[in-house]
Amino acid sequence: MKMDGGQALIRALELEGVDVLFGLPGGAILPVYDPIIDSSIRHILVRHEQGAGHMAEGYAHATGRPGVAMVTSGPGATNIVTPLCDAHLDSVPMVVITGQVPYAAIGTDAFQECDTTGITQSVTKHNFLVSDAQDIPRTIKEAFHIATTGRPGPVLVDIPKDIVDPDNPRSAMEWTDDVEMDLPGYTPRTDVDPVAIAAAADLIRAAERPVLYVGGGILKARAAEVLRQLAELTGIHVVTTLMARGAFPDSHDLCLGMPGMHGNFTAVTAMQESDLLIALGARFDDRVTGRLDGFAQGAKIIHVDIDAAELGKVRRPDVAILGDCRVAIEALVADLASNGTGGADRDAWRSRVSGWQERFPLSYEQAQAGDELKPQMVIERLRDATPDDTIVASGVGQHQMWASQYWSFDHPYTWINSGGLGTMGFSIPAAIGAKAGCPDKMVWAIDGDGCFQMTAQELVTATVEKIPIKVALLNNSYLGMVRQWQEMFYDERYSEVFLSKDVPDYKAWAESMGCVAMRVDSPEEVDVAIAKANEVDDRPVVIDFRVAAAEKVYPMVPSGASNSELVVPPSQQDQPR
Amino acid sequence: MSGPGDASAAAQHHVPDYRYHTLVVTVENKSGVLARLAALFSRRGFNIESLAVAPTDDDRFSRVTVVVDLESAPLEQIIKQLDKLVNVVNIRELHPGHAVERELMIVTVAAGPDRRDELVEQLDRAGGKVLSVGADAMMLSLVGPPSRVDEFEELLGQYGIIELQRTGRVALANLDEAD
Ligand SMILES: Cc1ncc(C[n+]2csc(CCOP(=O)(O)OP(=O)(O)O)c2C)c(N)n1
Ligand SMILES: [Mg+2]
């Protein structure tokens, strides 16, 4: 069938099952925006291309399907570099289509030309510059295949204008339904080596202080179910990293919660003291390990990852298992079920763990009458007043850590955040993307005032496109996380961290963007405001919670320190460790 | 070293006793592939000693011979990261001492008539060739193992090197060691 490249592009996206496309048009991508009018794909017009990228990420996190964004050349492309890098570090499947100047004009510094594939090379899993209209369907197929298989990640496809412009003869192409991919260098491996599985099972049977160290890869592998089987079969405790919150229920007896720089004492210390860490889809990130030479020194390591380059990159494993986490865990469960879980005596270990849990629960100082609102308390109230499977998308900063700590995640794919890149401004667009993908779920963004000011304009998108997300703005008037570091490590010398108590007027701003908006100053107003927000279902809601600025995130491993030097809140500092 | 699959093999990777190691990387012959390799090396902090690129007998692929400096990163990490590039089809590790390595040098040396005989004698001994002769200079070429090319280059210092080009090494496994 004869077609032009623009029609072929949209057709190829439809064939990949794309139902939502986040984007913003411009000169170079214009011809592709025409066939969108006739397509079944829903296009969501963003207000800034960074928003399109984070929406695609939020969509992917929540649904497991690749998020797709489309933007124009030059500034459109550079505006989406941050989301690409974000998706790259957090292994989020995403396909970004960028317009490009006509093929013959590439290299001439044409209007709105930039070297998009060059700029994005190191922040994508792969990228393509398509030179012929005929190659469009194959390239799109390859892009989705690469984005969603192996270790997922972002793939960018750069499309010169002439090959999609029906007025240009270079756009003519012949559509055929089955194009073959041509990727001789891409062969991700998912099956696992049975010898390594047997060796891992032996280590597990023998371990007296084992810990399951679970990372975001578990969610990417859709392995939460089998993880639970493994934990329950063996009785081994589980820590879920910032990227894996929800992969194992917080309410489960074996769940120790989040490890790392702001992890809870038990999760951090159990890893430190363990004799076997079973790392599943986790990458020994510096925010988890603290100072590397002081990390879990007595532990043997089983490391399961689909990316060979992660095995041994940071910490040399005793048993390396390359492959899909779900396949690996299923094989481990089978081995342990048939050959037994071993007779290691773990009673002493269990009582140490429960002792830590009793002495060092997550805690903050409760507000006294007349005190300012506590941000942690707002999160607890929100948690208790929303459905169990509410999706929470957070920004980056103190509010992110409190959300991860004080929310109770009992379902996979309900926690969406920017872990690897730590991108301020992530939450609002990510929440919009999640809600676009899961319209029947309640979606709350937990945001900071600094973050809010980076991407709030996407609330206009949410209003216009009728995507009713809710935003809990934990407004402390500060770049709070940076303030905390200055307080603790720079002798309380506060440099450029105070935002403002007066401007912007968040309520008025949110209302001007079409949201229902409230401002909450005192503890008594919290529940009422949340209840009111939960009732709104036809437009976005923003609650400006004015919270105490002096509050700090505890526990904390100071940067560069070993995890054994975890700083606990003042109320716990006299407890025996 | 074959496809991306070999984690267990890679984990037992021998610790090389040579600082420089040669990798023969087969890549898809597509535009921008060399930039991807170069960007990977610089971004991950892998130092390279030399790099040579040439087409293969199959025009879909090119072959890159790259000498990596193992003081900058472990070989295993370099190989695994290279393998993640979608356009990298195959990586072959050539153990030093088990491969035939060659490099070409062409050089213009200051040598008037009075020193020519001496220079040509040394050149013959090294197995090189005279490419052209000028009034006060000679242009020479030498193909050989990189260490021999190094030695000869040093020897030429006494005459005065006017201009010099080396290709970087190319290599193949010894016949009996091909896997
Ligand atoms: C784009 C970007 N710029 C700078 C930073 C560094 N940074 C990390 S947290 C933070 C403060 C965030 O402030 P806010 O959104 O108000 O959250 P809070 O910590 O106060 O809860 C900053 C500036 C970042 N992570 N991302
Ligand atoms: Mg703040």
Side-chain angles (χ1 to χ4, degrees):
Chain A
M1 193 195 322
K2 293 233 174 300
M3 260 191 209
D4 69 64
Q7 293 169 322
L9 175 61
I10 296 299
R11 175 87 177 247
L13 293 176
E14 288 169 351
L15 276 183
E16 291 297 332
V18 175
D19 58 350
V20 187
L21 183 56
F22 305 94
L24 195 151
I29 195 75
L30 245 172
V32 183
Y33 268 80
D34 190 69
I36 282 183
I37 297 176
D38 306 317
S39 169
S40 61
I41 298 175
R42 174 184 185 191
H43 183 277
I44 292 175
L45 175 62
V46 300
R47 294 317 189 251
H48 186 293
E49 290 89 348
Q50 182 186 1
H54 293 320
M55 285 178 205
E57 289 188 84
Y59 175 94
H61 273 290
T63 64
R65 300 192 296 271
V68 188
M70 186 156 82
V71 300
T72 194
S73 67
T78 54
N79 274 349
I80 208 160
V81 170
T82 299
L84 285 169
C85 190
D86 194 274
H88 192 45
L89 279 167
D90 285 346
S91 307
V92 183
M94 166 157 98
V95 173
V96 171
I97 315 281
T98 47
Q100 182 55 278
V101 301
Y103 197 70
I106 291 178
T108 66
D109 303 316
F111 177 63
Q112 294 194 329
E113 180 189 357
C114 76
D115 175 14
T116 302
T117 49
I119 289 171
T120 59
Q121 208 167 77
S122 70
V123 297
T124 51
K125 183 172 174 185
H126 191 58
N127 61 23
F128 297 91
L129 170 61
V130 188
S131 55
D132 275 299
Q134 194 60 44
D135 294 339
I136 289 174
R138 194 195 69 240
T139 310
I140 293 297
K141 194 169 186 178
E142 291 172 348
F144 278 80
H145 179 65
I146 293 170
T148 55
T149 54
R151 180 178 184 169
V155 178
L156 179 140
V157 184
D158 202 21
I159 309 253
K161 183 173 186 175
D162 52 329
I163 67 166
V164 286
D165 177 3
D167 295 334
N168 189 308
R170 291 225 330 122
S171 78
M173 59 90 66
E174 178 71 33
W175 175 275
T176 51
D177 270 339
D178 21 45
V179 286
E180 298 259 318
M181 291 191 286
D182 178 23
L183 296 169
Y186 183 72
T187 47
R189 179 172 156 182
T190 51
D191 59 323
V192 294
D193 173 7
V195 178
I197 293 291
D202 284 343
L203 285 184
I204 291 173
R205 277 186 279 268
E208 288 175 359
R209 304 186 305 281
V211 174
L212 287 158
Y213 158 32
V214 168
I218 283 281
L219 293 170
K220 304 296 172 354
R222 322 287 310 167
E225 258 321 294
V226 279
L227 168 66
R228 189 171 172 148
Q229 285 173 27
L230 176 65
E232 289 177 352
L233 175 68
T234 56
I236 299 178
H237 293 109
V238 179
V239 301
T240 48
T241 67
L242 183 65
M243 292 312 297
R245 306 286 292 127
F248 190 73
D250 276 329
S251 58
H252 198 288
D253 280 348
L254 290 170
C255 190
L256 303 183
M258 181 173 73
M261 179 175 266
H262 291 296
N264 74 77
F265 185 92
T266 307
V268 173
T269 309
M271 287 178 87
Q272 276 302 83
E273 301 293 318
S274 94
D275 66 350
L276 177 66
L277 284 178
I278 305 151
L280 304 172
R283 60 182 174 90
F284 295 85
D285 180 79
D286 52 89
R287 284 296 191 264
V288 167
T289 63
R291 205 183 69 231
L292 199 58
D293 60 15
F295 173 67
Q297 288 162 309
K300 290 203 159 113
I301 308 285
I302 296 170
H303 194 174
V304 182
D305 208 289
I306 195 145
D307 180 353
E310 289 301 338
L311 303 172
K313 183 184 81 177
V314 175
R315 171 91 175 237
R316 180 144 295 271
D318 297 272
V319 176
I321 301 174
L322 177 67
D324 180 80
C325 260
R326 179 151 49 102
V327 177
I329 298 173
E330 279 166 0
L332 278 173
V333 167
D335 185 307
L336 292 160
S338 55
N339 301 325
T341 53
D345 181 1
R346 294 178 187 151
D347 288 349
W349 173 245
R350 284 197 197 96
S351 66
R352 276 177 83 190
V353 169
S354 54
W356 292 325
Q357 284 176 315
E358 270 161 39
R359 292 197 299 283
F360 299 101
L362 275 176
S363 82
Y364 61 95
E365 220 177 303
Q366 299 296 317
Q368 307 299 312
D371 280 359
E372 283 177 296
L373 261 184
K374 296 278 182 170
Q376 303 94 327
M377 173 270 217
V378 173
I379 290 170
E380 290 177 325
R381 294 289 178 83
L382 192 57
R383 172 196 71 199
D384 295 342
T386 46
D388 218 26
D389 62 349
T390 298
I391 294 175
V392 181
S394 92
V396 169
Q398 291 182 309
H399 62 280
Q400 172 190 26
M401 293 299 126
W402 287 318
S404 177
Q405 291 177 333
Y406 288 95
W407 202 268
S408 186
F409 295 100
D410 284 329
H411 300 278
Y413 314 109
T414 56
W415 167 243
I416 299 174
N417 88 132
S418 164
L421 193 62
T423 308
M424 283 175 69
F426 179 80
S427 72
I428 288 176
I432 294 170
K435 183 76 180 170
C438 304
D440 298 334
K441 286 209 174 157
M442 185 178 281
V443 179
W444 273 91
I446 295 183
D447 214 3
D449 45 329
C451 287
F452 188 90
Q453 293 187 57
M454 290 198 179
T455 50
Q457 77 284 345
E458 298 309 337
L459 286 169
V460 177
T461 307
T463 298
V464 173
E465 296 279 347
K466 301 214 178 334
I467 304 172
I469 63 157
K470 307 177 201 307
V471 182
L473 171 59
L474 299 183
N475 178 359
N476 52 12
S477 311
Y478 275 95
L479 298 171
M481 185 57 94
V482 185
R483 182 194 182 283
Q484 171 166 349
W485 284 52
Q486 291 177 348
E487 179 181 337
M488 293 173 74
F489 312 120
Y490 290 85
D491 297 328
E492 301 181 31
R493 284 164 54 84
Y494 298 115
S495 174
E496 304 299 325
V497 288
F498 179 64
L499 295 169
S500 164
K501 288 219 181 283
D502 311 310
V503 288
D505 177 338
Y506 292 95
K507 181 168 181 290
W509 187 10
E511 280 167 351
S512 79
M513 293 188 283
C515 307
V516 173
M518 293 167 261
R519 170 175 164 155
V520 170
D521 287 275
S522 68
E524 307 79 65
E525 300 166 278
V526 172
D527 289 341
V528 185
I530 293 171
K532 200 170 148 201
N534 283 343
E535 272 160 29
V536 178
D537 206 28
D538 60 344
R539 71 195 73 187
V541 187
V542 174
I543 310 179
D544 173 11
F545 291 102
R546 296 292 172 127
V547 299
E551 219 40 46
K552 291 199 286 291
V553 183
Y554 283 119
M556 176 170 194
V557 180
S559 174
S562 136
N563 281 356
S564 302
E565 298 162 66
L566 184 70
V567 180
V568 294
S571 64
Q572 297 173 353
Q573 275 161 14
D574 298 328
Q575 289 286 349
R577 297 198 170 196
Chain B
M1 179 75 203
S2 56
D6 289 326
S8 44
Q12 296 152 12
H13 227 280
H14 77 128
V15 180
D17 27 335
Y18 295 78
R19 174 167 171 189
Y20 297 106
H21 221 88
T22 305
L23 300 176
V24 179
V25 185
T26 307
V27 300
E28 281 186 89
N29 197 0
K30 291 193 170 156
S31 76
V33 172
L34 191 58
R36 288 178 201 275
L37 288 177
L40 175 77
F41 282 116
S42 85
R43 159 163 148 57
R44 299 266 174 198
F46 304 156
N47 289 340
I48 52 179
E49 177 64 14
S50 82
L51 185 115
V53 193
T56 62
D57 49 0
D58 182 338
D59 64 8
R60 288 175 306 157
F61 304 114
S62 292
R63 187 151 293 146
V64 181
T65 311
V66 53
V67 180
V68 294
D69 178 354
L70 300 188
E71 245 166 47
S72 66
L75 184 63
E76 175 192 334
Q77 213 10 244
I78 298 175
I79 291 174
K80 285 172 166 182
Q81 291 292 352
L82 273 175
D83 216 1
K84 277 170 72 165
L85 293 179
V86 169
N87 302 124
V88 168
V89 179
N90 183 271
I91 302 168
R92 182 127 181 247
E93 188 195 332
L94 292 183
H95 300 244
H98 300 271
V100 177
E101 300 186 321
R102 288 294 177 270
E103 191 170 355
L104 163 68
M105 170 172 77
I106 52 178
V107 58
T108 305
V109 183
D114 52 323
R115 300 199 67 183
R116 264 183 209 156
D117 288 351
E118 182 193 352
L119 177 57
V120 169
E121 194 179 310
Q122 283 172 324
L123 181 69
D124 282 346
R125 229 177 291 137
K129 285 195 182 119
V130 177
L131 299 182
S132 76
V133 180
D136 301 308
M138 291 178 82
M139 190 189 289
L140 317 173
S141 76
L142 176 68
V143 174
S147 59
R148 183 132 57 83
V149 179
D150 286 346
E151 282 162 25
F152 190 63
E153 182 182 334
E154 201 166 310
L155 198 90
L156 293 179
Q158 55 175 305
Y159 298 92
I161 293 170
I162 296 168
E163 237 185 326
L164 178 142
Q165 285 274 12
R166 290 173 63 158
T167 56
R169 76 184 74 177
V170 292
L172 288 177
N174 281 348
L175 276 184
D176 49 349
E177 326 235 346
D179 49 23

